[in-house]
Amino acid sequence: MKKFLALTLALVMTFALAACGENAASGSAASGSSASGSNPVLKVGVFEPASGDNGAGGKQEVLGIQYANQVTPTVDIKGQTYDIQLEIVDNQSTTDKAITAAQSLVNAGVSVVLGSYGSGVCIAAAPTFQQAQIPAIGCSCTNPAVTEQNPYYFRVCFLDPFQGSVMANFVSEQFSAKKAYVLTMLGEDYGTGLGTYFTKAFEGLGGEVKSENFPEGTSDFSAYIQNAVAYGADVIFAPSATTYASLIIGQAAKSGVTIPVCAGDTWESSVILDAQKGTGLPVYCSTFFDENDDSGLASTFVKGFKEFLNADPQNLTNNGGNDIVAAVSALGYDSYMTAVEAIKLAQSTSGADIQAALFKVDFDAVTGHITMNPDTGDANKTEAYIKQATDGAFTFIKRQSVQG
């Protein structure tokens, strides 16, 4: 009986010690060790929409980040190699869910955050990241309010005042447009802001503008389209999420509209190509990158990214079912590389240290050389690409600088 009790006690102690060992290992992993235990882990948060109005673009942006992580999976800090681990959350394209998603990244212990596609969610989440002293690097969020009064939000794309001016100059020069109809979603930060900047620039060029807003959830745009025609518009400028854009394009084409329909960077999407295909409707957008750019870094990125897409059916699905290289994917890649550059400069995993280093980054990226404005944290960008959706593909039209 004593031997049985002794054996039972020994087994209990063995399991207890094993359990303690497992808990210790879990604690170590949670505090920053890799699963294999070979290298410590540095966590990079990915704050992007995988669902909602901007889900399609968000997935393409994430693909660029994931490819960058595959290209550069580690970073050296003070002689120690760290594995970079992506913590990906879905902000669901809504400002209320964005705050919850941001807090989950803070709780996960990330050192820096990348994203998002869509300015509204960035504006909503910005105070959460700032309070936690975790820097965020926007990829394609172009509304100036994203970085205003927030030293912890940066970005690698150009801004809407520039983009609005670019498109106003483009339609004025390309189509000799004198009257523009501007259509945006009520209360949506990105579209409303870009529509305002376009209007200001277009009127500054001597043009006239009629502006209207549609409520969230609108599916029938026929009345708005007829209003544009009745106004005698030479061009329709309708910056909006791709879910609405596809409806606007399809219904405009069905109603026999032949005037150009234009927007900003969100329209550089496979969703837009699918909506325009076979319609003959002239559709244009401004964007950040052209996959036919034959400069060294850009061409190398395009080749590798296409291989990355085609190596995994899920990647192709997330990219819209093809291997077209979206500008937001290039920006996602550049945001990741910007974070890596800052971490190298900081030689630290501390968010505050990385934030200070971000103002000092200075390197050649896929979408152009990146340095940060010391007052705003915005990348110093001076050029945009104008593209036309043409039966399933984007055709490069021209490069537009700040000077026009």
Side-chain angles (χ1 to χ4, degrees):
M1 184 66 175
K2 289 181 180 179
K3 288 182 180 180
F4 176 75
L5 290 173
L7 179 60
T8 301
L9 180 61
L11 289 170
V12 169
M13 290 296 292
T14 299
F15 285 124
L17 288 171
C20 289
E22 287 172 3
N23 290 336
S26 297
S28 176
S31 64
S33 293
S34 66
S36 64
S38 58
N39 293 326
V41 165
L42 184 150
K43 295 182 179 180
V44 172
V46 180
F47 175 70
E48 293 283 357
S51 58
D53 292 341
N54 290 323
K59 289 176 182 177
Q60 289 182 311
E61 209 153 275
V62 171
L63 286 169
I65 295 168
Q66 290 173 320
Y67 174 58
N69 182 239
Q70 178 178 295
V71 172
T72 306
T74 64
V75 63
D76 290 340
I77 301 174
K78 295 179 179 177
Q80 173 68 62
T81 298
Y82 283 73
D83 292 329
I84 302 175
Q85 176 179 307
L86 300 180
E87 294 283 337
I88 303 175
V89 297
D90 179 10
N91 61 41
Q92 299 180 51
S93 306
T94 63
T95 54
D96 56 336
K97 299 296 191 302
I99 297 172
T100 303
Q103 189 58 55
S104 71
L105 290 176
V106 172
N107 295 342
V110 302
S111 296
V112 59
V113 171
L114 310 178
S116 173
Y117 187 103
S119 296
V121 289
C122 296
I123 295 167
T128 300
F129 296 137
Q130 182 176 9
Q131 184 176 8
Q133 293 190 308
I134 297 172
I137 305 172
C139 308
S140 63
C141 44
T142 51
N143 190 303
V146 171
T147 57
E148 285 177 355
Q149 308 302 316
N150 191 328
Y152 273 82
Y153 229 115
F154 299 77
R155 74 181 115 206
V156 296
C157 60
F158 53 62
L159 275 64
D160 283 336
F162 169 74
Q163 184 171 212
S165 179
V166 161
M167 290 306 293
N169 278 272
F170 171 69
V171 299
S172 179
E173 296 168 5
Q174 192 82 4
F175 312 120
S176 300
K178 300 299 182 184
K179 299 179 76 172
Y181 177 81
V182 176
L183 180 63
T184 59
M185 189 180 90
L186 184 66
E188 199 268 304
D189 294 308
Y190 166 80
T192 300
L194 185 51
T196 298
Y197 296 121
F198 172 88
T199 297
K200 182 178 179 180
F202 191 74
E203 290 178 339
L205 293 169
E208 299 177 17
V209 175
K210 177 180 177 61
S211 298
E212 288 193 294
N213 304 116
F214 63 87
E216 184 176 2
T218 298
S219 59
D220 184 356
F221 289 89
S222 58
Y224 299 104
I225 293 166
Q226 290 308 311
N227 287 346
V229 173
Y231 174 62
D234 299 309
V235 64
I236 295 174
F237 187 68
S240 57
T242 55
T243 50
Y244 296 113
S246 62
L247 295 172
I248 293 169
I249 291 169
Q251 291 171 28
K254 188 175 181 179
S255 67
V257 168
T258 58
I259 60 176
V261 181
C262 306
D265 56 282
T266 57
W267 281 30
E268 204 245 347
S269 164
S270 296
V271 175
I272 304 305
L273 292 179
D274 291 342
Q276 187 279 336
K277 190 173 183 179
T279 66
L281 184 70
V283 175
Y284 298 84
C285 68
S286 54
T287 188
F288 315 93
F289 180 74
D290 177 29
E291 71 171 273
N292 296 310
D293 186 343
D294 59 2
S295 63
L297 283 176
S299 60
T300 299
F301 163 74
V302 169
K303 181 177 182 295
F305 187 64
K306 282 181 177 286
E307 291 173 353
F308 168 76
L309 292 176
N310 287 295
D312 187 336
Q314 187 59 55
N315 288 346
L316 279 177
T317 298
N318 289 346
N319 197 55
N322 55 56
D323 66 355
I324 295 172
V325 182
V328 294
S329 297
L331 287 171
Y333 182 93
D334 278 354
S335 69
Y336 179 95
M337 293 304 182
T338 299
V340 171
E341 287 295 315
I343 293 164
K344 288 178 181 177
L345 288 171
Q347 286 295 290
S348 170
T349 62
S350 161
D353 292 341
I354 296 170
Q355 181 264 357
L358 276 165
F359 285 104
K360 304 172 186 176
V361 296
D362 187 346
F363 73 106
D364 288 324
V366 169
T367 59
H369 194 80
I370 291 182
T371 57
M372 296 294 176
N373 183 304
D375 297 320
T376 64
D378 298 320
N380 297 306
K381 293 294 181 75
T382 60
E383 286 189 322
Y385 295 82
I386 307 298
K387 295 182 181 180
Q388 180 179 4
T390 311
D391 289 328
F394 282 106
T395 302
F396 172 72
I397 300 299
K398 66 180 295 188
R399 239 171 159 168
Q400 185 92 30
S401 69
V402 171
Q403 289 75 30

